[in-house]
């Protein structure tokens, strides 16, 4: 018996990532492979750096895509910046802050945890207290866009507090980049990591990172070798930063990098601010439809991420069965709740290429039909509310 080619179904991806990918990105991936030290490829990598600097709004020279998913970008930040014995203030308000703590401890550091309830942003007041109470802390680490809940934290304020206490910052913007305002230089972020499969709408598997000069100085002044060979930036810089004299470090994921290059070109064509505004516009319409169905948001309005919408599952509804039906009958994927919200919320993503009117209307009509079958919503309201929201935004020229 032989196995035949794998032919995945066509889906609409509105979960916490991966998101729908622009066909231009998939087509870029299928272009001819060339060597990773080929001068033409090296030229593409140089362009990629400029495109990433634009996306991050930074002039940091050390800006590159790590050859592995967002989690590897996270590890890159922690293994390079945390040395054994270092104290790191870690903010936890969802799944991804928990992983930061784990990283600090695996690097031999001590984590001082600042906790906020899931669904809330990181509290600047609690962070200020932790910084005052731990003058020996070297780093403040937090998540910009908590994908597990949909809460956005105030990067600018948290970085300013860290700077006042001579702390470097490590920021997770895996879901933030290209979806919500982010100014790495103006806000004084020292180390940041992202992912390709959320608001950049590229395929998964790469992690854009960027490091300030202060962070680079800290890495170069380390007294212990970075424990990870693969993620040691001193070595990676020899490849990505070597100009025409690139040293072989690892074989770059060449076609995946074509894809990222294309998605960043698409972002540049649209304009970063326009991308942020588009996420708000479609979030507003989605919200109008969800609320018309009587669904309530987990996160307070002022802290909500437009790209990740967590809403409570109506009383008595089997949330997994609803997601299963959406996938089977409508080819639509939405996300389940995590941690304390497992079984209690759905997470609806509006990320990158997927933040569009067709996806909003598809999601609302499918969810409304499935919930109306269960007798928990009245049919016919969600679409009208979303369409009215679009009309209102068009009339006022606002984007939400
Ligand atoms: C998705 C995500 C990650 C992990 O990215 P992977 O590409 O899945 O490794 C980290 N942090 C946040 C906030 C995320 O949303």
């Amino acid at each position: 018996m032989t196995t035949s080619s794998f032919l995945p179904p066509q889906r609409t991806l509105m979960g916490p990532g991966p998101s729908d990918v622009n066909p231009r990105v998939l087509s870029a991936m299928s272009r001819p492979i060339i060597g990773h030290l080929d001068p033409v490829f090296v030229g593409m990598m140089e362009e990629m750096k400029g495109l990433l600097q634009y996306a991050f709004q930074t002039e940091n020279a050390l800006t590159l895509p790590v050859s592995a998913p967002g989690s590897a970008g996270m590890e890159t930040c922690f293994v390079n910046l945390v040395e054994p014995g270092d104290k790191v203030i870690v903010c936890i308000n969802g799944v991804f802050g928990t992983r930061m703590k784990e990283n600090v401890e695996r690097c031999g550091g001590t984590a001082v945890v600042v906790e906020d309830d899931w669904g809330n942003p990181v509290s600047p007041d609690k962070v200020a207290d932790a910084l005052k109470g731990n003058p020996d802390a070297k780093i403040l680490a937090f998540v910009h866009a908590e994908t597990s809940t949909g809460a956005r934290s105030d990067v600018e304020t948290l970085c300013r507090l860290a700077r006042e206490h001579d702390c470097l910052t490590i920021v997770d913007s895996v879901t933030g980049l290209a979806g919500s305002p982010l100014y790495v230089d103006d806000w004084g972020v020292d180390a940041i990591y992202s992912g390709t499969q959320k608001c950049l709408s590229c395929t998964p598997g790469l992690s854009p990172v960027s490091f300030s000069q202060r962070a680079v100085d800290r890495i170069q002044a380390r007294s212990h070798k970075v424990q990870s060979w693969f993620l040691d930036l001193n070595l990676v810089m020899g490849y990505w930063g070597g100009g025409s004299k690139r040293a072989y470090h690892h074989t770059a994921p060449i076609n995946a990098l074509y894809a990222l290059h294309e998605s960043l070109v698409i972002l540049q064509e649209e304009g970063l601010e326009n991308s942020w505004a588009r996420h708000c516009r479609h979030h507003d319409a989605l919200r109008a439809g969800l609320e018309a169905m009587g669904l309530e948001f987990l996160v307070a309005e002022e802290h909500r991420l437009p790209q990740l919408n967590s809403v409570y599952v109506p009383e008595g509804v089997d949330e997994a069965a609803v997601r299963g039906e959406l996938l089977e009958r409508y080819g639509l994927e939405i996300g389940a709740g995590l941690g304390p919200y497992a079984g209690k919320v759905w997470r609806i993503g509006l990320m990158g290429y997927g933040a569009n009117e067709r996806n909003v209307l598809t999601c609302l009509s499918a969810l409304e039909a499935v919930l109306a079958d269960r007798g928990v919503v009245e049919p016919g309201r969600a679409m009208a509310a979303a369409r009215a929201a679009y009309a209102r935004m068009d009339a006022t020229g606002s984007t939400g």
Side-chain angles (χ1 to χ4, degrees):
M1 214 193 72
T2 55
T3 303
S4 43
S5 303
F6 176 63
L7 301 171
Q10 190 73 48
R11 303 276 200 220
T12 300
L13 298 180
M14 298 185 71
S19 58
D20 281 349
V21 171
N22 189 315
R24 277 175 62 183
V25 171
L26 293 177
S27 139
M29 277 190 109
S30 64
R31 289 177 193 148
I33 187 161
I34 56 179
H36 69 115
L37 297 171
D38 186 312
V40 176
F41 187 73
V42 170
M44 191 278 287
M45 285 164 72
E46 278 304 312
E47 283 183 10
M48 173 92 78
K49 181 167 138 188
L51 290 163
L52 283 176
Q53 286 170 327
Y54 169 68
F56 278 124
Q57 292 289 289
T58 184
E59 289 176 8
N60 287 339
L62 188 54
T63 301
L64 61 109
V66 173
S67 301
S71 305
M74 170 173 67
E75 295 229 21
T76 301
C77 291
F78 285 93
V79 298
N80 282 278
L81 286 170
V82 180
E83 290 202 69
D86 283 355
K87 199 186 251 192
V88 180
I89 297 176
V90 178
C91 305
I92 300 184
N93 63 334
V95 167
F96 293 100
T98 312
R99 292 189 179 178
M100 288 178 145
K101 173 172 183 276
E102 182 71 24
N103 266 259
V104 169
E105 289 167 352
R106 285 177 188 235
C107 294
T110 308
V112 175
V113 173
V114 171
E115 251 188 301
D116 281 288
D117 286 342
W118 287 40
N120 287 344
V122 172
S123 154
D125 291 340
K126 288 187 192 170
V127 167
D129 287 345
L131 286 162
K132 273 184 215 125
N134 296 277
D136 52 338
K138 296 198 162 156
I139 295 171
L140 170 70
F142 63 91
V143 179
H144 174 203
E146 233 325 327
T147 323
S148 59
T149 62
R152 177 175 42 79
S153 288
D154 183 348
V155 177
E156 183 176 18
T157 300
L158 295 172
C159 287
R160 180 169 44 73
L161 289 169
R163 192 70 66 81
E164 285 166 12
H165 290 83
D166 239 348
C167 264
L168 295 184
T169 42
I170 295 178
V171 179
D172 175 329
S173 194
V174 175
T175 287
L177 188 68
S180 292
L182 172 66
Y183 298 94
V184 165
D185 284 0
D186 287 355
W187 291 352
V189 176
D190 290 302
I192 189 159
Y193 56 94
S194 189
T196 44
Q197 78 277 29
K198 314 251 171 143
C199 296
L200 288 178
S201 268
C202 184
T203 49
L206 293 170
S207 177
V209 297
S210 186
F211 293 83
S212 71
Q213 190 54 49
R214 280 185 304 276
V216 173
D217 292 345
R218 177 79 61 89
I219 294 167
Q220 288 173 341
R222 283 179 66 100
S223 44
H224 302 77
K225 259 191 180 177
V226 172
Q227 71 267 28
S228 163
W229 177 86
F230 185 63
L231 300 175
D232 183 344
L233 285 170
N234 293 296
L235 304 175
V236 175
M237 278 186 272
Y239 179 52
W240 271 94
S244 55
K245 289 199 295 288
R246 276 164 206 266
Y248 166 65
H249 176 258
H250 66 278
T251 308
I254 294 157
N255 293 53
L257 289 166
Y258 298 166
L260 178 57
H261 184 278
E262 188 71 9
S263 76
L264 291 166
V265 165
I266 293 168
L267 178 65
Q268 192 186 54
E269 285 170 4
E270 178 178 26
L272 193 53
E273 291 81 2
N274 293 336
S275 176
W276 298 337
R278 177 169 49 81
H279 284 86
C280 286
R281 171 181 169 83
H282 298 294
H283 159 78
D284 262 34
L286 180 73
R287 182 189 68 186
L290 293 170
E291 288 178 348
M293 278 190 258
L295 300 179
E296 284 170 24
F297 275 79
L298 164 64
V299 177
E301 188 167 350
E302 65 271 30
H303 304 303
R304 254 176 231 164
L305 290 165
Q307 61 271 47
L308 198 285
N309 299 268
S310 290
V311 288
Y312 286 102
V313 175
E315 197 82 31
V317 169
D318 175 349
E319 76 81 23
V322 169
R323 279 186 297 111
E325 199 174 325
L326 290 174
L327 192 66
E328 257 175 54
R329 296 184 69 183
Y330 300 88
L332 172 67
E333 178 177 284
I334 65 170
L338 294 175
Y341 290 102
K344 300 207 171 89
V345 301
W346 289 303
R347 291 181 300 148
I348 304 175
L350 275 177
M351 298 184 181
Y353 184 65
N356 65 55
E357 187 165 337
R358 185 176 60 92
N359 277 14
V360 168
L361 299 181
T362 299
C363 175
L364 289 172
S365 57
L367 188 58
E368 191 178 54
V370 171
L371 292 178
D373 282 349
R374 288 163 170 76
V376 292
V377 307
E378 265 188 55
R381 294 193 175 165
M383 293 285 272
R387 292 177 58 171
Y390 280 124
R392 203 164 48 241
M393 288 186 274
D394 289 340
T396 60
S398 82
T399 47

